[in-house]
Amino acid sequence: MLSVEDYRAQVMTGVTALAPIEMPLIDAHGCVLATEVSAPWPLPSFDNSSMDGYAVVSADLAGASSEHPARLTVVDDVPAGFRATEVVVPGVAIRIMTGAPMPDGADAVVPVEKTDGGTDLVQVNEPVSLGANIRLAGEDVLLGDVVMYPGTYLTARQLSLLASVGKGSVLVHPKPRVVVISTGSELVEPGTELRRGLITDSNSYLLVAAAQEAGAVAFRLPPVIDDEDVFMSTLEDQLHFADLIITSGGVSMGAYDTVKAVLSRLGTVTFAKVAMNPGMPQGYGRIGPSATPIITLPGNPVSAYVSFETFVRPVIRTMQGHKDIYRPYVQAICEVELASPPAKRQFVRAKFGGADKATVTPVRGQGSHAVGGLSQADCFIVIPAGQAAVAAGATVDVIDLRNW
Ligand code: AMP
Ligand code: MG
């Protein structure tokens, strides 16, 4: 049996970030930036008003109060997107809206709330300090500043900045295209009639969703029966398209374990036993003319999910261009005593609890088929190989699954 680390190192060998492509900015959402971006203009790019109000010479309002308001002649009106055609001189104001360029001569903006709102003549009830309510050019970002580095994950916040510096498209690592194929003659589509002995294919939904949560664009195929020719032709159809193929089922010691039987013969796919529970039978390799990576997961749903988290998610994240590809261990207090077969690393499905979410409790239903238990879990308690038990109240390593 291989350790989790040794097997994972084999699976990760030769896996690299997908070659960068230029993408329309909106499609780059959720991708990893492959280039440095600098600002071709400062942000803001011109001095502008941060309030709806009046651009003034601040000295004009030195003694203004509601009893003795200052009175200014309004000579112009600038909405956002326009420039003033007049200048501000002592005794004069220009009505201005948020985001409009500061008129020449003005050194402050009085918010409309501090005035009577006049359009020809305005009364101002308060003084204003020099520079008030002006957003200065470059106060956020300077011309030529590097605003983003390669490796940046592009969320809504980053798209906002890229758009602001004029990037209509950007060079990113594309999201890997992942194809998920469930195998098993017992599988039917959810929503269709369940005859005795059949079950619904849940793994393809589990794995497509998990792949998407990991950052892939994932595609689901209808379940494939345990037939070598059907499986092979289904696989071949996907080879020209997929960056990664994930299969579920058919990799154990059963008589109809088609995936293992067919792929073993190719000589490019390795099957192994990994010292983990659940998820011992595993396989990975490359197939087809482009040596497309394939990872063959066990069919039991919980095994498939633990295996996905352990081996497939790091592959997807690497292809996507991430540097931090593993979920870190966090520590928590285990509320109950646990026994653990010491030959294997245990991934106990558990739930955070306590006021500060600092404790963990195993969910009910720890079988590798137990999708009910899995749906309750938001973490794995990880018990290392070699350890036979965990005492109640002990600190344990936990993989937090609450964030994608
Ligand atoms: P296998 O790895 O093919 O031997 O399957 C192990 C167990 O997982 C069996 O009980 C299968 O019925 C079940 N199983 C396999 N594939 C799926 C699937 N796609 N959805 C739900 N259960 C599955
Ligand atoms: Mg099967």
Side-chain angles (χ1 to χ4, degrees), residues 7-33:
Y7 179 72
R8 184 156 62 193
Q10 291 184 14
V11 175
M12 297 292 294
T13 302
V15 176
T16 55
L18 298 182
I21 55 173
E22 188 81 11
M23 276 213 206
L25 185 57
I26 199 69
D27 298 329
H29 183 217
C31 294
V32 173
L33 192 63

Side-chain angles (χ1 to χ4, degrees), residues 39-49 81 83 99-102 134-144 161 163-166:
W41 50 69
L43 293 178
S45 61
F46 51 87
D47 295 352
N48 67 93
S49 176
R83 301 199 74 88
M102 283 302 291
I134 300 174
R135 307 191 283 213
L136 293 175
E139 71 176 28
D140 184 18
V141 170
L142 291 173
L143 167 70
L161 176 57
S164 298
V165 298

Side-chain angles (χ1 to χ4, degrees), residues 33-43 141-150 152 158 161-171:
L33 192 63
T35 182
E36 195 171 277
V37 174
S38 45
W41 50 69
L43 293 178
V141 170
L142 291 173
L143 167 70
D145 269 0
V146 175
V147 293
M148 230 172 271
Y149 288 91
T152 306
Q158 285 70 41
L161 176 57
L162 290 169
S164 298
V165 298
K167 300 294 284 184
S169 66
V170 277
L171 192 69

Side-chain angles (χ1 to χ4, degrees), residues 7 9 11 62 74 105 140 144 195 199 236 307 327 351 355 374 396:
Y7 179 72
V11 175
V74 181
D140 184 18
R195 282 180 289 112
I199 60 168
E236 275 159 6
S307 307
R327 292 193 195 270
K351 192 160 178 51
L374 182 63
V396 285

Side-chain angles (χ1 to χ4, degrees), residues 73-238:
T73 310
V74 181
V75 297
D76 202 355
D77 190 27
V78 252
F82 293 84
R83 301 199 74 88
T85 50
E86 303 292 330
V87 295
V88 174
V89 293
V92 158
I94 289 179
R95 196 158 79 121
I96 190 165
M97 302 302 144
T98 305
M102 283 302 291
D104 290 340
D107 63 15
V109 171
V110 190
V112 66
E113 297 86 337
K114 312 287 187 197
T115 74
D116 67 354
T119 49
D120 297 322
L121 198 68
V122 64
Q123 293 197 16
V124 185
N125 304 327
E126 276 181 27
V128 68
S129 51
L130 181 72
N133 305 313
I134 300 174
R135 307 191 283 213
L136 293 175
E139 71 176 28
D140 184 18
V141 170
L142 291 173
L143 167 70
D145 269 0
V146 175
V147 293
M148 230 172 271
Y149 288 91
T152 306
Y153 180 61
L154 302 181
T155 72
R157 298 182 296 280
Q158 285 70 41
L159 292 201
S160 162
L161 176 57
L162 290 169
S164 298
V165 298
K167 300 294 284 184
S169 66
V170 277
L171 192 69
V172 293
H173 299 285
K175 298 179 185 181
R177 288 166 301 188
V178 173
V179 173
V180 174
I181 308 174
S182 279
T183 71
S185 297
E186 73 277 31
L187 303 175
V188 298
E189 295 272 16
T192 59
E193 194 202 343
L194 255 195
R195 282 180 289 112
R196 196 176 166 78
L198 303 184
I199 60 168
T200 50
D201 165 25
S202 61
N203 284 352
S204 62
Y205 292 90
L206 171 87
L207 295 169
V208 164
Q212 272 166 353
E213 290 172 9
V217 181
F219 300 87
R220 172 185 179 273
L221 299 186
V224 172
I225 57 170
D226 290 312
D227 176 281
E228 298 197 1
D229 295 339
V230 175
F231 175 64
M232 258 336 253
S233 70
T234 306
L235 207 52
E236 275 159 6
D237 283 349
Q238 301 304 321

